[in-house]
């Protein structure tokens, strides 16, 4: 491992100034992600600034929103009684993430900023456009079972790893940041980039910009939400596919609906087309099937992940049946 400087600060503004002033600077929260990447030789920051003890661990609920501080632990948010009752998709996504030991340590901000589990990215001996721009993407014609069927490019088909980000996308959450130019509020749909020709640019955050919290609208949609994660084993595994769904019912039909998906794209994948196939219609097997077809329209599966096209449609049907029953 390359030698690096380490410092801890009690003020978010100081942490931002430190990282912004060092091109090789990086934030560390719970330490469950960055340390592994450093040990594996994937990342090699010159300066590591510990933000895990910043006073940003609040979980606050008002009449119109839920606010989660960036240093709140995943466990504490998942177990919070209001989150479990009024924002179940968030609690379920967190409880489906990692292991209890990791959830006890990992932070909300760190979870949103974790890097892809693509094995080519995580192996410094392999080419990877995300890690070394211009070196190539072996996943295109290699082992691509876990990779994207939507949103990829000829430069990268890695998928986004965060369950939490998928659930927050379904609830139209806003990410609050502090950077060298001050504070920003970023709709979560604008936080993550598609790879295009620059897969190394994963988010719209500037260097030195720190996530300080997340705001989630409080609504009937949030209260009527669920998360389903399909994975290869029951614990400490990333999604093969996942579904976050939130809906309301009006006189026997779907009133409003939000759908977001994990394991199928380089960022949490929102499907307005699938939502439109459900909105204003009765929740029947026929309408759910139409939503599933709309979801996978335009998908570009590879040799080893074509099964995701059917699997994500089945996962969507299971979540919607749990939410409202199918006729």
């Amino acid at each position: 491992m390359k030698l690096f400087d380490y410092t801890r600060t009690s003020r978010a503004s100081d942490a931002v100034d430190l990282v912004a002033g060092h091109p090789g600077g990086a934030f560390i929260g719970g330490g469950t992600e960055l340390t592994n990447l450093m040990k594996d030789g994937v990342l090699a920051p010159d300066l590591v600034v510990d933000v895990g003890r910043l006073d940003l661990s609040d979980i606050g609920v008002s009449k119109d929103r839920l606010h989660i501080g960036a240093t709140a632990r995943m466990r504490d948010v998942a177990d919070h009684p209001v989150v479990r009752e009024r924002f179940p998709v968030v609690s379920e996504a967190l409880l489906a993430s990692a292991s209890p030991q990791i959830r006890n340590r990992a932070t909300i901000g760190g979870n949103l900023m974790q890097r892809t589990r693509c094995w080519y990215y995580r192996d410094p001996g392999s080419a990877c456009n995300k890690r070394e721009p211009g070196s190539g993407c072996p996943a295109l014609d290699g082992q691509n079972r876990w990779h994207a069927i939507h949103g990829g490019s000829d430069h990268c088909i890695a998928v986004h790893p965060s369950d939490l980000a998928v659930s927050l996308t379904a609830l139209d959450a806003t990410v609050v940041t502090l950077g060298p130019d001050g504070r920003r509020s970023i709709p979560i749909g604008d936080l993550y980039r598609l790879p295009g020709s620059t897969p190394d640019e994963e988010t719209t955050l500037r260097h030195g910009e720190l996530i300080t919290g997340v705001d989630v609208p409080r609504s009937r949609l949030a209260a009527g939400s669920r998360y389903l994660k399909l994975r290869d084993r029951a614990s400490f595994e990333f999604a093969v596919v996942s579904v976050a769904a939130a809906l309301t019912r009006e006189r026997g039909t779907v009133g409003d609906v939000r759908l977001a998906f994990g394991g199928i794209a380089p960022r949490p994948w929102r499907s307005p087309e699938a939502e439109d196939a459900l909105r204003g219609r009765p929740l029947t097997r026929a309408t759910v099937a139409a939503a599933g077809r709309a979801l996978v329209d335009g998908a570009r599966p590879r040799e080893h992940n074509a099964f995701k096209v059917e699997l994500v449609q089945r996962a969507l049907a299971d979540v919607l049946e749990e939410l409202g029953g199918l006729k």
Side-chain angles (χ1 to χ4, degrees):
M1 183 186 293
K2 187 181 94 173
L3 292 176
F4 60 93
D5 292 324
Y6 169 89
T7 188
R8 180 186 297 160
T9 179
S10 60
R11 297 179 55 185
S13 58
D14 291 342
V16 168
D17 289 342
L18 285 165
V19 172
H22 288 76
F27 299 115
I28 190 169
T32 61
E33 171 76 331
L34 180 62
T35 52
N36 288 331
L37 292 171
M38 293 171 67
K39 290 176 182 178
D40 291 341
V42 177
L43 296 180
D46 299 314
L47 171 68
V48 174
V49 178
D50 191 339
V51 297
R53 298 189 183 184
L54 295 181
D55 186 19
L56 297 171
S57 61
D58 53 316
I59 305 171
V61 182
S62 66
K63 65 178 182 180
D64 59 354
R65 67 169 183 155
L66 164 70
H67 176 78
I68 307 171
T71 62
R73 304 296 177 182
M74 292 170 60
R75 173 204 62 198
D76 295 333
V77 178
D79 291 342
H80 193 283
V82 176
V83 176
R84 294 177 66 177
E85 178 183 357
R86 301 297 303 178
F87 305 87
V89 69
V90 173
S91 178
E92 291 169 5
L94 288 169
L95 291 173
S97 301
S99 65
Q101 295 88 344
I102 296 294
R103 295 197 297 270
N104 288 343
R105 180 66 184 166
T107 65
I108 293 300
N111 182 283
L112 295 178
M113 291 299 294
Q114 65 183 301
R115 311 298 289 272
T116 181
R117 259 56 192 181
C118 172
W119 34 69
Y120 297 111
Y121 169 75
R122 299 227 163 208
D123 174 18
S126 297
C128 174
N129 288 324
K130 188 181 290 293
R131 192 184 63 251
E132 186 180 347
S135 62
C137 178
L140 294 173
D141 299 310
Q143 294 296 320
N144 44 43
R145 179 180 182 273
W146 276 25
H147 289 70
I149 61 173
H150 274 308
S153 72
D154 291 338
H155 298 271
C156 181
I157 55 171
V159 297
H160 193 270
S162 172
D163 296 293
L164 174 63
V166 175
S167 71
L168 294 177
T169 298
L171 298 185
D172 295 320
T174 298
V175 176
V176 184
T177 70
L178 177 65
D181 299 323
R183 299 187 180 277
R184 283 204 296 165
S185 294
I186 307 170
I188 195 164
D190 296 334
L191 177 62
Y192 301 108
R193 299 177 184 268
L194 291 177
S197 60
T198 55
D200 55 309
E201 299 177 7
E202 296 185 346
T203 75
T204 57
L205 297 184
R206 301 154 188 159
H207 181 67
E209 191 169 9
L210 174 69
I211 293 177
T212 59
V214 177
D215 289 331
V216 189
R218 186 169 181 170
S219 65
R220 288 178 58 206
L221 268 174
S225 61
R226 290 291 182 272
Y227 188 76
L228 175 64
K229 178 177 182 178
L230 303 182
R231 46 191 167 177
D232 288 336
R233 58 184 181 183
S235 178
F236 204 4
E237 186 64 276
F238 293 86
V240 177
V241 302
S242 65
V243 182
L247 63 82
T248 61
R249 304 287 292 275
E250 305 290 346
R251 298 187 179 89
T253 64
V254 176
D256 203 0
V257 59
R258 299 287 189 278
L259 302 173
F261 302 86
I264 64 169
R267 67 182 183 194
W269 191 253
R270 181 82 177 270
S271 178
E273 298 81 7
E275 295 170 3
D276 288 344
L278 296 170
R279 193 175 288 113
R281 295 176 171 84
L283 198 59
T284 65
R285 298 189 185 281
T287 55
V288 170
R293 291 192 296 271
L295 165 63
V296 299
D297 185 38
R300 295 180 60 193
R302 299 282 170 168
E303 179 181 1
H304 303 294
N305 68 359
F307 70 93
K308 288 189 178 185
V309 173
E310 181 178 357
L311 184 63
V312 73
Q313 294 181 77
R314 292 187 176 190
L316 174 60
D318 285 350
V319 169
L320 293 176
E321 183 168 16
E322 183 180 354
L323 276 173
L326 303 182
K327 297 179 180 179

